[in-house]
Amino acid sequence: MTTLKEQLQEDLTAAIKARDELRSSTLRLTLSAITSAEVAGEEKRTLSDDEVQQVIGREAKKRREAATAFEGAGRVEQAARERAEGEVLAEFLPKQLTDEELAAVVAAAVAESGASGPQGMGAVMKLVRPQVEGKADGGRVAAAVKAALAG
């Protein structure tokens, strides 16, 4: 079975052969970020698939934030490119939870913790975070928890 990093490298090779500039540049930057993470710290190491997925998630988040910033500055073409790069990266991430699935996880955590009101947010987040790691953006999770605790 191939690792996620190997899959990225294979897809990069295919994108280069197909002359897909957007895909090849996105995968090249992502592999560069993975290599940087591997050599960070005391000694070089190979990242596990979960760690590679976290790096890809960070890269996808950067693309979302950049797209929002470009859109706010009126640079629609650059925002569209950032979104397209984010879609390429999304192929390598786990399927994101729908709003309904996220609400169900949050409701179960609220019931389990017995929290009520904004002061219970930390306790609920502590229960929800491990269940949705990589499957939902932190901002979305926080908003769902806040909404559930508000009533």
Side-chain angles (χ1 to χ4, degrees):
M1 189 172 125
T2 61
T3 65
L4 187 54
K5 183 178 177 184
E6 290 168 349
Q7 181 64 45
L8 284 165
Q9 289 169 333
E10 290 169 10
D11 284 10
L12 173 60
T13 303
I16 291 170
K17 286 180 180 177
R19 299 190 186 281
D20 185 343
E21 191 274 327
L22 174 79
R23 190 172 181 83
S24 62
S25 68
T26 302
L27 294 177
R28 206 176 265 132
L29 285 170
T30 303
L31 283 166
S32 174
I34 291 168
T35 302
S36 293
E38 287 178 334
V39 297
E42 296 293 317
E43 59 186 58
K44 185 179 189 311
R45 64 191 185 91
T46 303
L47 298 180
S48 69
D49 275 358
D50 288 340
E51 292 170 318
V52 169
Q53 222 165 38
Q54 288 175 351
V55 172
I56 295 170
R58 281 195 302 268
E59 291 296 308
K61 183 178 180 184
K62 286 179 191 177
R63 299 309 190 287
R64 284 192 303 271
E65 290 172 351
T68 303
F70 281 128
E71 212 164 64
R75 297 182 61 191
V76 180
E77 288 178 14
Q78 191 65 32
R81 179 175 171 93
E82 293 291 335
R83 282 204 177 78
E85 288 179 2
E87 289 171 15
V88 170
L89 294 175
E91 296 173 22
F92 299 97
L93 293 171
K95 185 180 165 290
Q96 296 292 298
L97 293 175
T98 64
D99 290 338
E100 293 80 26
E101 292 168 331
L102 181 59
V105 170
V106 169
V110 168
E112 183 181 331
S113 69
S116 63
Q119 66 275 13
M121 186 156 175
V124 176
M125 287 294 286
K126 198 177 287 184
L127 293 172
V128 171
R129 190 172 291 125
Q131 296 176 43
V132 300
E133 191 73 43
K135 298 178 193 165
D137 182 56
R140 253 182 81 210
V141 174
V145 170
K146 204 174 283 185
L149 291 175

